[in-house]
């Protein structure tokens, strides 16, 4: 039985690491930056262009996802559509974990999709940004807040939902509970939601 777990995350919450650990434990593929490679392969756009516009809003968006590329679309919209197509294709072929890029919204009409939001207190996220991401201590708070704003703007721009709002997701987890504990919680919740045992 195929299933997909999408992970949205506040910057510095450890969401990427939790997603990676969960994928390793469940033995399924994990997609974050790898989505850019997939999108480049299927769309014909260069990976450099995709990286430049990754998770950035750009131009006017009507809230209706187009089914094909148009000459009047901004480059940001074309990148979003390329990622949209790649996410849909991956989810239709295999069980996996997908990080960011509005994946929960993109897959909202597909069965066996669990959307998770990882958050943590600001101080914890500042400390993680310094320790694990190499952010300068003096710039850490501003970096965390700026990245959160970037992700919120992108998500709210391309979806009809509200990033970081609890009722947008199936499950919200404070990563201060611990990485392994968060992984356990997501797996348990997924099994209850999907109504089948996930083999490890």
């Amino acid at each position: 039985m195929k299933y997909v777990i999408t992970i949205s995350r506040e910057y510095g919450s450890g969401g990427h690491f939790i997603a990676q650990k969960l994928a390793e434990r469940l033995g399924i593929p994990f997609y974050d930056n790898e989505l850019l490679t997939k999108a480049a392969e299927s769309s014909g756009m260069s990976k450099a262009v995709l990286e430049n516009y990754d998770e950035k809003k750009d131009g006017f968006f009507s809230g209706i996802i187009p089914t094909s590329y148009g000459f009047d679309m901004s480059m940001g919209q074309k990148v979003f559509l390329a990622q949209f197509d790649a996410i849909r294709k991956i989810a239709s072929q295999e069980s996996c974990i997908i990080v960011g890029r509005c994946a929960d919204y993109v897959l909202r009409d597909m069965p066996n999709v669990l959307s998770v939001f990882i958050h943590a207190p600001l101080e914890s996220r500042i400390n993680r940004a310094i320790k694990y991401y190499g952010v300068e201590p003096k710039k850490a708070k501003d970096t965390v807040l700026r990245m959160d704003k970037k992700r919120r703007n992108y998500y709210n721009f391309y979806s009809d939902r509200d990033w970081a709002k609890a009722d947008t997701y199936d499950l919200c987890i404070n990563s201060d509970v611990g990485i392994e504990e968060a992984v356990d919680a997501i797996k348990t919740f997924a099994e209850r939601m999907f109504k089948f045992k996930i083999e490890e």
Side-chain angles (χ1 to χ4, degrees):
M1 185 81 71
K2 290 197 302 293
Y3 63 92
V4 179
I5 299 174
T6 68
I7 305 286
S8 298
R9 71 287 183 223
E10 290 182 328
Y11 185 79
S13 66
H16 175 97
F17 191 51
I18 289 170
Q20 192 171 35
K21 283 286 187 181
L22 182 62
E24 290 172 0
R25 179 168 165 183
L26 301 181
I28 60 177
F30 160 78
Y31 295 98
D32 189 348
N33 293 330
E34 298 82 358
L35 276 171
L36 300 181
T37 300
K38 293 287 186 180
E41 291 172 354
S42 61
S43 69
M45 285 190 282
S46 72
K47 188 175 179 182
V49 169
L50 288 161
E51 288 174 342
N52 188 52
Y53 284 90
D54 187 32
E55 291 195 300
K56 295 179 183 176
K57 74 183 187 70
D58 174 50
F60 174 76
F61 187 65
S62 67
I64 301 173
I65 298 172
T67 56
S68 61
Y69 299 94
F71 290 108
D72 58 342
M73 293 173 65
S74 70
M75 184 55 69
Q77 291 166 348
K78 291 177 182 178
V79 168
F80 174 81
L81 185 56
Q83 292 185 346
F84 174 94
D85 291 341
I87 290 168
R88 297 282 296 188
K89 183 176 181 180
I90 290 167
S92 70
Q93 294 175 338
E94 61 187 358
S95 294
C96 61
I97 295 173
I98 301 176
V99 175
R101 297 164 185 85
C102 300
D104 61 296
Y105 178 72
V106 172
L107 302 177
R108 64 196 182 281
D109 61 342
M110 293 186 69
N112 296 334
V113 175
L114 167 62
S115 61
V116 180
F117 186 80
I118 307 295
H119 63 98
L122 179 59
E123 191 64 31
S124 296
R125 296 191 290 124
I126 290 172
N127 291 335
R128 186 176 282 110
I130 295 169
K131 183 176 181 180
Y132 296 109
Y133 306 162
V135 178
E136 294 181 26
K138 291 182 179 180
K139 299 180 179 179
K141 182 177 180 180
D142 287 343
T143 298
V144 168
L145 295 177
R146 175 173 51 81
M147 291 300 294
D148 279 353
K149 182 178 180 180
K150 172 190 169 185
R151 291 175 179 176
R152 177 179 291 106
N153 288 343
Y154 176 84
Y155 187 92
N156 291 358
F157 186 70
Y158 283 111
S159 78
D160 59 0
R161 301 177 179 183
D162 191 357
W163 185 85
K165 189 175 181 182
D167 62 6
T168 297
Y169 306 93
D170 298 313
L171 177 65
C172 297
I173 295 179
N174 182 339
S175 59
D176 270 8
V177 71
I179 299 298
E180 293 299 332
E181 289 77 8
V183 169
D184 287 340
I186 295 170
K187 179 179 182 293
T188 298
F189 190 93
E191 290 178 332
R192 298 288 180 86
M193 180 175 171
F194 300 152
K195 295 181 171 58
F196 61 78
K197 180 73 174 176
I198 297 176
E199 299 299 330
E200 295 187 33

